[in-house]
Amino acid sequence: MVGDAFGVSSRYWEPPSERTAELLRAAVEMVLDHPELMYEAMDDASLAAASPAIAAEPALAEAVRACVRANLTHWCLANLASPGMPVAPNLAAENIEIARSVVRHGFDEMLVTNFHAGQNAAIRKWTQLAFFVSPDPYEVRELLDVIMGSIFAFIDDTLAGVFELIQRERRELADVDHTERMETLNLVLGGAPISAGRAGARLRYELDRSHLAAIVWSDSYPAAPEPLEQVVNALAQAAGSVRPLTLVPSPSTLWVWLPTAEVPPLAEVRPAMTAPGVRMAVGSIGTGMAGFRRAHLDAVAAQRLMRRLPSGARLATYEEVEVVALATGGDEERAREFVARTLGNLMSADPELRETVRVYLHEGSNTTRTARALFTHRNTIVHRLDRVRALLPYPLEQRPLHIAMALEIVRVLGPADGH
């Protein structure tokens, strides 16, 4: 049972002292006035503890964020009304959606981890707030005792309620096979100790071979499945009519693995990408179960970068964006700061100059090969490089690797606003 007839824990509760209730209400008001005090820390902790199935899929990650924030708000409002008294479990829309996601993806244990990670991050923030609202260590001790007891009971009761929803959802779910396959996939992507044979049998896909992973998705949510399936079919045909493993992590996304040792000609896939908003990120080639996982994570990295691209790229491979993905580490602001420091006035110059020096460095600083690659006379390349040298903050030959990386970042992310 989640709780008694009033929907709260049946544990014995002793009302806090008047002073503790006053301090708790003051702390809660601060959080409700400035929720960002808690949100960022709780989001980061919950998503850091998440499985790849959650972290890699924007819709799932957003569901986790919404759930974490809804739980915080629910607890705060309850303590604003009745400080230190039992808080009813939160079984509102956000947690109902999490329950449905658990059933679709099979990450029951990870749900507990996410809740507790968010809980622990919140407690650290509440501890800081406790010392802010009172300088008296005895008052702080009593306040923290009330806060922690209340949060632990609330999370336990909410989890119990969510798991009841999960069981109800499972009883109503028709596609049991898909649920089992998603549970297995979650184990494989999370690096759990499951054998390749057992995982392959449950996925109905042999893992002891080479794989190419891809993610096909639509910017619309939810999306019609037919345009996404059309792209997957085209990809499989381009790879030699192989039979892919396709799973549905959300109503707008397909995760795909193909048994192939090389990337198929993607030019044959583009004609199938006719529906508005349909896009595809292609990962790397991997071998065995570890390669299966790595190929998918590379597709995820390519997808994340594609979502940030100003050009709205429809198709990209991890190989094309690998340098930028590794260089930015997901921090676009710092990447652009690096670009500005490295390229200096070249950033505001003619894009033709940036492309010339990018190709020049790619061709091993050889002007003849650069001219051939750009279909330009060698003297023109030499002239452009002289102009480039005048614009850079330091000699081109001094930091060629830095300049090449900065130019690659600009090529993929596009120039910053104002350039």
Side-chain angles (χ1 to χ4, degrees):
M1 293 292 291
V2 174
D4 57 21
F6 297 98
V8 298
S9 172
S10 56
R11 304 175 182 85
Y12 172 73
W13 285 87
E14 182 178 346
S17 67
E18 186 175 335
R19 175 58 177 164
T20 299
E22 176 188 341
L23 292 173
L24 178 53
R25 185 177 280 115
V28 165
E29 287 176 343
M30 289 180 62
V31 171
L32 290 173
D33 288 341
H34 301 282
E36 65 277 5
L37 291 172
M38 294 283 187
Y39 282 171
E40 185 174 353
M42 294 176 70
D43 285 350
D44 289 347
S46 296
L47 292 175
S51 71
I54 296 175
E57 174 53 45
L60 293 178
E62 188 54 42
V64 170
R65 289 190 188 94
C67 174
V68 166
R69 297 178 180 203
N71 287 339
L72 172 65
T73 302
H74 180 95
W75 187 88
C76 284
L77 290 174
N79 276 280
L80 188 64
S82 302
M85 295 307 293
V87 177
N90 180 24
L91 301 179
E94 293 81 3
N95 280 329
I96 292 174
E97 178 57 30
I98 280 291
R100 289 172 178 161
S101 296
V102 165
V103 173
R104 288 196 297 264
H105 298 83
F107 46 76
D108 301 43
E109 294 181 4
M110 192 56 66
L111 179 65
V112 176
T113 303
N114 288 348
F115 268 59
H116 286 165
Q119 164 192 287
N120 294 340
I123 286 174
R124 286 194 291 273
K125 287 295 184 181
W126 284 114
T127 301
Q128 296 170 6
L129 275 175
F131 283 98
F132 184 82
V133 297
S134 174
D136 187 326
Y138 295 101
E139 290 184 348
V140 169
R141 184 178 66 182
E142 184 176 344
L143 175 58
L144 287 176
D145 185 57
V146 171
I147 287 174
M148 285 190 277
S150 178
I151 288 177
F152 282 125
F154 167 66
I155 291 297
D156 286 349
D157 289 349
T158 297
L159 270 173
V162 170
F163 276 116
E164 286 185 12
L165 292 173
I166 289 171
Q167 295 306 317
R168 185 185 312 162
E169 198 72 22
R170 281 204 171 115
R171 287 192 292 269
E172 297 173 359
L173 185 71
D175 192 359
V176 177
D177 177 67
H178 180 264
T179 303
E180 181 179 274
R181 295 173 84 192
M182 286 303 299
E183 288 174 349
T184 303
L185 178 63
N186 189 54
L187 293 174
V188 173
L189 295 181
I194 182 172
S195 70
R198 183 183 177 202
R202 295 178 69 178
L203 291 171
R204 295 197 300 282
Y205 177 88
E206 185 181 338
L207 292 171
D208 288 327
R209 57 183 171 186
S210 296
H211 322 273
L212 172 70
I215 299 174
V216 181
W217 80 97
S218 171
D219 292 330
S220 302
Y221 186 93
E226 291 80 8
L228 304 180
E229 293 167 357
Q230 181 177 319
V231 175
V232 174
N233 290 336
L235 182 63
Q237 289 175 11
S241 298
V242 298
R243 182 180 178 183
L245 167 64
T246 305
L247 292 169
V248 187
S250 83
S252 64
T253 304
L254 297 179
W255 286 350
V256 186
W257 287 262
L258 299 114
T260 179
E262 58 184 25
V263 177
L266 297 178
E268 298 178 12
V269 182
R270 290 184 184 276
M273 303 179 70
T274 55
V278 172
R279 306 165 77 183
M280 180 169 69
V282 179
S284 57
I285 300 288
T287 303
M289 192 154 67
F292 176 92
R293 180 166 55 247
R294 170 49 53 196
H296 175 70
L297 294 178
D298 287 347
V300 169
Q303 182 195 30
R304 286 176 177 167
L305 204 50
M306 288 176 67
R307 289 179 181 276
R308 292 157 50 198
L309 296 182
S311 59
R314 298 288 296 273
L315 191 157
T317 67
Y318 180 69
E319 183 180 9
E320 293 171 334
V321 301
E322 180 178 15
V323 171
V324 178
L326 295 174
T328 62
D331 191 338
E332 185 174 335
E333 183 178 351
R334 290 190 63 185
R336 291 199 181 279
E337 289 173 359
F338 166 76
V339 167
R341 287 196 310 270
T342 304
L343 300 184
N345 292 331
L346 184 59
M347 273 303 301
S348 56
D350 189 333
E352 185 178 59
L353 293 180
R354 292 197 298 272
E355 179 62 8
T356 297
V357 71
R358 188 188 73 82
V359 175
Y360 172 71
L361 293 172
H362 184 266
E363 294 294 337
S365 301
N366 184 295
T367 52
T368 301
R369 288 204 299 266
T370 303
R372 189 181 303 120
L374 294 176
F375 304 103
T376 305
H377 195 278
R378 181 180 177 280
N379 289 343
T380 302
I381 298 299
V382 172
H383 176 66
R384 289 179 188 171
L385 291 175
D386 287 341
R387 292 172 60 193
V388 166
R389 290 184 176 92
L391 294 168
L392 287 170
Y394 41 75
L396 172 60
E397 292 74 18
Q398 190 178 84
R399 295 184 179 179
L401 180 60
H402 291 70
I403 294 171
M405 184 173 291
L407 290 166
E408 195 67 21
I409 291 172
V410 173
R411 183 186 70 84
V412 175
L413 295 184
D417 293 341
H419 293 296

